[in-house]
Amino acid sequence: MKFTPTLLTTALAVTTEAAILWDGRFNDFSSSSDLNKWSWSNQVGPYQYYIHGSGAVTKYINLSPDFKNPNDTVSRQGAKFTLDSTAYWNGQNMRRIELIPQTKAAINRGKLFYHFSISRKDTNAPSVNKEHQICFFESHFTELKYGWISGEQGTANANLQWMTNQKSQWKVEWKAGVWHNFAYEIACLFSLLPPFLPLANREQKDFGANRVGLWHSEGGDPLKQVVAPVSGVSTSSNGADWHLGVLELPRSGYATTNEDYYFSGVFIEDGAITTKIGGPA
């Protein structure tokens, strides 16, 4: 087939148009107890809920309009995730509370943007003395981290850091009351090729471009790319291993206290990025 300027422009416009593949913005939840409707034998709703402590769901996750980014007019409410003295999963020594997208959508192929906003308060503040892994994939090829990380100098770290393959690429001091809006950009090498090419040619590498970038803003500001896609990232996902939430590693000599994390505007889209906070309606 011969490419003409008009044909090529049209093809690229089609493939770069954004579309929400999975919506985790909590808009359809009456309360966090709705998470209990999901089970391995009854996989309903937008989230898999199984990585948590032994208590009731309301010990670990609660929903309220007060918990969302107030600049997000699309999300009806946000979620408060809590690590308390019972938040140990499956006999592990790590405190954790995480949700996994429940979807059959192709959230591990093509050029994708994983969106979420996060904030904290002075009350039940996350410890600066312990490592926290936030919004990560199972292989940890990209994630946020907060607090002191093994091998660092000193005993504390007050920065929220974006990592690829365990290497810090970007950081900001995490101050109380500030909403940080993020999108992980995960690019497939062939995602911008015209849609009339065979599927095997367009998506044969899926996440295999091995590039991840970061978009960020604060408050209600539109997202901006703060790190261009980094090469050599060992991207891999089975489409059911992105963890919305927090895993805290233990550290001897430092007390374990309740910690609260606030999330809103959670969704995954492909094509072009939506920079408006909260995403499309």
Side-chain angles (χ1 to χ4, degrees):
M1 177 178 291
K2 181 179 180 181
F3 288 91
T4 65
T6 301
L7 180 59
L8 182 57
T9 300
T10 302
L12 291 175
V14 169
T15 51
T16 57
E17 183 180 357
I20 290 185
L21 297 181
W22 170 80
D23 193 338
R25 291 177 288 191
F26 302 104
N27 285 343
D28 296 330
F29 284 74
S30 58
S31 74
S32 61
S33 295
D34 287 342
L35 291 166
N36 287 323
K37 297 176 182 178
W38 181 91
S39 68
W40 291 114
S41 59
N42 185 42
Q43 298 183 25
V44 297
Y47 286 108
Q48 297 179 6
Y49 176 64
Y50 65 90
I51 303 175
H52 55 78
S54 58
V57 63
T58 50
K59 287 181 67 68
Y60 311 117
I61 300 178
N62 286 280
L63 306 179
S64 169
D66 294 335
F67 299 159
K68 76 180 183 73
N69 184 339
N71 301 285
D72 177 357
T73 59
V74 180
S75 297
R76 186 170 64 87
Q77 56 192 345
K80 179 176 72 173
F81 284 42
T82 298
L83 296 180
D84 67 5
S85 60
T86 71
Y88 295 92
W89 174 60
N90 207 25
Q92 298 178 352
N93 65 350
M94 301 170 286
R95 294 197 301 173
R96 55 194 304 185
I97 174 64
E98 300 147 34
L99 298 176
I100 307 291
Q102 172 63 54
T103 180
K104 295 181 179 179
I107 62 172
N108 62 340
R109 296 202 303 270
K111 184 175 183 178
L112 304 180
F113 297 90
Y114 279 66
H115 289 257
F116 61 93
S117 297
I118 185 171
S119 186
R120 72 167 184 88
K121 297 181 179 180
D122 281 326
T123 302
N124 292 345
S127 172
V128 296
N129 306 115
K130 297 182 180 181
E131 178 177 329
H132 302 86
Q133 301 169 356
I134 304 170
C135 294
F136 56 90
F137 286 85
E138 193 69 28
S139 66
H140 295 270
F141 70 81
T142 192
E143 63 192 321
L144 293 181
K145 285 190 177 183
Y146 179 71
W148 182 85
I149 299 172
S150 179
E152 288 183 338
Q153 294 182 343
T155 61
N157 191 329
N159 290 319
L160 192 61
Q161 302 187 70
W162 178 64
M163 320 283 288
T164 60
N165 291 352
Q166 310 298 317
K167 180 180 179 181
S168 180
Q169 303 286 355
W170 176 93
K171 62 185 177 182
V172 65
E173 183 181 357
W174 196 10
K175 296 180 180 180
V178 177
W179 277 96
H180 291 277
N181 313 299
F182 291 101
Y184 299 160
E185 177 181 345
I186 306 174
C188 169
L189 185 62
F190 297 101
S191 61
L192 294 182
L193 290 182
F196 45 74
L197 291 183
L199 183 63
N201 290 339
R202 285 189 286 118
E203 295 189 344
Q204 60 179 311
K205 288 198 172 183
D206 297 338
F207 266 31
N210 293 332
R211 298 188 316 236
V212 185
L214 184 69
W215 295 65
H216 170 263
S217 72
E218 294 184 8
D221 293 342
L223 290 169
K224 294 183 179 179
Q225 188 181 68
V226 292
V227 182
V230 176
S231 299
V233 181
S234 302
T235 57
S236 64
S237 174
N238 63 3
D241 70 334
W242 184 65
H243 300 241
L244 172 71
V246 185
L247 182 156
E248 178 196 70
L249 296 179
R251 188 182 181 195
S252 177
Y254 293 90
T256 296
T257 60
N258 286 1
E259 298 180 353
D260 292 334
Y261 302 78
Y262 298 85
F263 293 97
S264 74
V266 185
F267 65 99
I268 301 170
E269 65 179 343
D270 70 355
I273 188 170
T274 300
T275 60
K276 176 186 175 182
I277 303 310

